[in-house]
Amino acid sequence: MDFEVWPEAIELGRMFAEHGYELALVGGPVRDLLLHRRSHDLDFCSSARPEQFEPILRRWGHDGFWDMGRKFGTLGAMRRRPDGTEVKVEVTTYRSDTYEPDSRKPEVNYGDSLEGDLSRRDFTVNAMALRVPELEFVDPFGGANDLAKGVLRTPVDPSQSFDDDPLRMMRAVRFVAQLGFRIAPDTAEAICRMADRIDIVSAERVRDELVKLLLSDRPRAGVEALVESGLADRVFPEIPALQLELDEHHRHKDVFEHTMIVLDRAVALETGPDGPVPAPDLTLRLAALMHDIGKPKTRRFEPGGKVSFHHHDAVGAKLTRKRLKALRFDHHIIDDVSDLVELHLRFHGYVDEPWTDSAVRRYVKDAGHLYERLNRLTRADATTQNKRKAQIFASAMDEMEQRVKDLKEKEDFDAIRPDVDGNEIMALLDLKPGPMVGRAYKHMLEYRLDNGPVDHDVAVAELRRWYAEVSPQA
């Protein structure tokens, strides 16, 4: 085992023992130690009540203290090592969380033993403990064995566990993504049977589990488990709706399967920490997951056995915005993911006929700060098995990106503005602030995108020419 984080844990255990209190490292940190993963955030449980161990924790955590979880029996503290590394701890009184059938929040009842506390945890792999300072390993439910097998199982009957805290069902599919585990058959069956119980959990808590799932090393496995469990029908119904049989001859690929491939490919296209889209990128992964959710509503069977999805990009963008709002995502995430869904087909016309410089400028201007993500989503979405088509598409994308680099050497795409600003427009045309100034500004921006930077005299001449055509006095 890796004992790197234990000096602080042992010290804290001795401080608790001096006052006659039990202390044990529990949950994720113990699991991660067995998996040889590093952790500097340590969770403990104790026989002491918050008011009893608060002075101890404040004395240990001389670099920070917090008590936001006091009503749940939890206090936290932090200290820095000489090398600057922060070690954060949270201590919770032995407890049991029970839910009323229609309640979204647990009722906290203090317990009286470590084993009793462990029995109320979500899965056996998180129901292991290490007593400190004596370093006694406690594993009453076979968590170490399940960890070795890669199995998720509840310490008590799964129906009772999920009835007590329905969010544990979401955690199960999240651990599939994060740890690469499989859900035990009886646990999986209980999730399927009780999926509607997730409805009492707040959108914010569900969202947080989805984010952790998507940012994991195996988001596809997590999404597939989410759909198979029936939970997606309750929290993200647009995703299982992609499981379409497109035609009776099965000539068209299933949209859900395609989406999973796109998600995998998008993850592979993320960059290192110094690249334009550092991994893991929530915005790109959400866009990959949602880029085709407009297809079920726009599907049409055409003559000759063809299937069409006209305007699924625009419809999908609206559905994306609605779903992400319902899940209480931040406004900037909602805007960015919706924009990527709406723009994800934009490049396809380039393959048939390379764009003018004007069209390239518009593409970059419309993508804005999403340009790098949009290109990666577009590449990920090109899942054809036809090698020739795939090569043509990739070459076209390479060519367009090189043209953008060449154009950027001549002009600043990020600061494209008309060659005359609003104040100058009003002065040149003798206008007061109003709609006509806005129309003139828009025209000059279009002119700038079409023609690139031009001499100031040329821009003024164009402005006067346009105004002579559209002015009521002309």
Side-chain angles (χ1 to χ4, degrees):
M1 290 186 190
D2 183 354
F3 286 73
E4 180 189 2
V5 299
W6 290 358
E8 292 85 2
I10 294 171
E11 179 186 351
L12 191 60
R14 285 175 178 156
M15 294 171 71
F16 271 66
E18 287 171 2
H19 290 79
Y21 303 134
E22 298 176 5
L23 186 70
L25 189 68
V26 291
V30 179
R31 180 196 71 223
D32 288 345
L33 284 172
L34 294 179
L35 292 172
H36 304 289
R37 295 182 173 188
R38 292 185 177 185
S39 176
H40 297 295
D41 294 349
L42 307 178
D43 295 325
F44 296 88
C45 63
S46 173
S47 59
R49 301 291 174 92
E51 63 273 14
Q52 294 173 318
F53 68 75
E54 180 175 348
I56 303 173
L57 199 57
R58 283 185 179 275
R59 197 163 69 251
W60 178 92
H62 43 70
D63 292 312
F65 176 84
W66 57 93
D67 65 351
M68 289 84 75
R70 185 183 293 273
K71 65 180 179 180
F72 301 112
T74 301
L75 303 177
M78 183 268 287
R79 67 157 54 171
R80 291 185 183 87
R81 291 177 174 174
D83 64 0
T85 303
E86 292 184 352
V87 179
K88 297 177 182 178
V89 308
E90 288 196 343
V91 181
T92 301
T93 302
Y94 295 154
R95 67 182 184 182
S96 64
D97 292 346
T98 57
Y99 284 71
E100 293 301 320
D102 298 320
S103 173
R104 295 185 177 195
K105 296 182 179 179
E107 229 178 68
V108 177
N109 298 309
Y110 291 132
D112 54 13
S113 72
L114 173 59
E115 288 75 9
D117 183 278
L118 295 176
S119 74
R120 300 174 182 105
R121 294 184 175 263
D122 52 5
F123 303 105
T124 60
V125 296
N126 292 328
M128 300 178 286
L130 193 67
R131 293 185 186 273
V132 287
E134 59 269 37
L135 300 183
E136 175 194 349
F137 182 59
V138 181
D139 182 18
F141 304 103
N145 187 48
D146 286 345
L147 193 66
K149 293 179 179 178
V151 173
L152 287 170
R153 188 168 55 84
T154 54
V156 296
D157 180 86
S159 297
Q160 176 189 334
S161 180
F162 298 145
D163 197 50
D164 282 348
D165 184 355
L167 191 66
R168 289 171 178 166
M169 298 185 289
M170 289 292 299
R171 288 198 198 111
V173 296
R174 189 241 294 178
F175 285 134
V176 168
Q178 284 186 327
L179 302 174
F181 285 9
R182 68 183 188 279
I183 302 173
D186 63 332
T187 304
E189 190 277 330
I191 295 174
C192 291
R193 188 177 69 252
M194 301 175 67
D196 62 343
R197 182 90 170 113
I198 199 68
D199 293 349
I200 72 164
V201 179
S202 71
E204 290 83 357
R205 296 179 76 205
V206 170
R207 174 205 62 209
D208 290 347
E209 290 298 322
L210 283 170
V211 168
K212 291 173 184 176
L213 183 160
L214 286 172
L215 294 180
S216 71
D217 292 337
R218 309 167 190 83
R220 174 177 178 170
V223 173
E224 289 174 340
L226 190 72
V227 171
E228 290 167 5
S229 68
L231 288 169
D233 291 319
R234 317 296 303 190
V235 302
F236 215 142
E238 294 83 2
I239 303 306
L242 296 172
Q243 294 176 311
L244 301 173
E245 283 296 342
L246 299 185
D247 65 280
E248 68 274 19
H249 304 295
H250 307 290
R251 286 195 296 260
H252 299 275
K253 54 195 170 192
D254 176 77
V255 181
F256 177 76
E257 175 65 19
H258 164 74
T259 297
M260 294 300 95
I261 295 171
V262 173
L263 179 58
D264 274 343
R265 287 164 59 95
V267 170
L269 289 170
E270 291 171 340
T271 59
D274 298 325
V277 186
D281 188 83
L282 179 62
T283 300
L284 178 60
R285 295 183 182 200
L286 276 170
L289 181 63
M290 305 181 79
H291 76 285
D292 273 349
I293 63 171
K295 281 190 170 180
K297 283 199 171 186
T298 58
R299 180 176 58 163
R300 299 290 182 272
F301 294 99
E302 308 289 354
K306 291 185 177 181
V307 180
S308 68
F309 303 97
H310 297 308
H311 307 299
H312 78 269
D313 45 351
V315 172
K318 291 179 180 178
L319 293 173
T320 295
R321 187 172 294 277
K322 182 178 180 181
R323 176 52 52 197
L324 295 185
K325 278 185 177 179
L327 288 167
R328 305 291 193 273
F329 275 90
D330 291 340
H331 292 303
H332 76 277
I333 289 283
I334 295 172
D335 291 343
D336 286 354
V337 176
S338 301
D339 287 348
L340 285 170
V341 171
E342 187 158 20
L343 290 167
H344 82 274
L345 297 179
R346 183 73 171 272
F347 174 76
H348 286 246
Y350 189 101
V351 181
D352 299 324
E353 183 178 348
W355 294 337
T356 61
D357 285 352
S358 169
V360 172
R361 288 190 195 95
R362 290 174 188 278
Y363 177 84
V364 178
K365 181 71 173 175
D366 289 348
H369 69 282
L370 298 171
Y371 171 75
E372 294 286 354
R373 289 189 180 99
L374 178 58
N375 287 358
R376 281 161 174 75
L377 176 60
T378 303
R379 286 183 184 274
D381 192 29
T383 61
T384 178
Q385 296 300 305
N386 185 310
K387 291 184 178 180
R388 180 174 171 274
K389 285 185 177 180
Q391 183 57 50
I392 290 173
F393 188 91
S395 296
M397 196 85 200
D398 292 342
E399 177 190 308
M400 191 274 292
E401 289 182 337
Q402 185 58 51
R403 288 179 63 191
V404 170
K405 289 178 182 177
D406 293 342
L407 285 168
K408 281 188 172 183
E409 289 181 3
K410 302 174 185 176
E411 51 187 306
D412 183 1
F413 273 32
D414 296 330
I416 288 181
R417 301 286 186 275
D419 293 294
V420 290
D421 64 19
N423 289 328
E424 195 171 5
I425 288 171
M426 288 189 287
L428 288 168
L429 303 181
D430 192 25
L431 293 175
K432 293 181 179 180
M436 182 58 77
V437 178
R439 288 178 61 192
Y441 185 92
K442 183 177 180 181
H443 171 76
M444 293 309 296
L445 178 59
E446 296 290 325
Y447 183 79
R448 170 69 174 76
L449 289 168
D450 285 339
N451 297 279
V454 299
D455 291 339
H456 185 261
D457 290 347
V458 175
V460 170
E462 171 58 25
L463 174 64
R464 294 189 186 281
R465 183 204 63 77
W466 171 84
Y467 186 63
E469 286 187 0
V470 302
S471 172
Q473 291 80 23

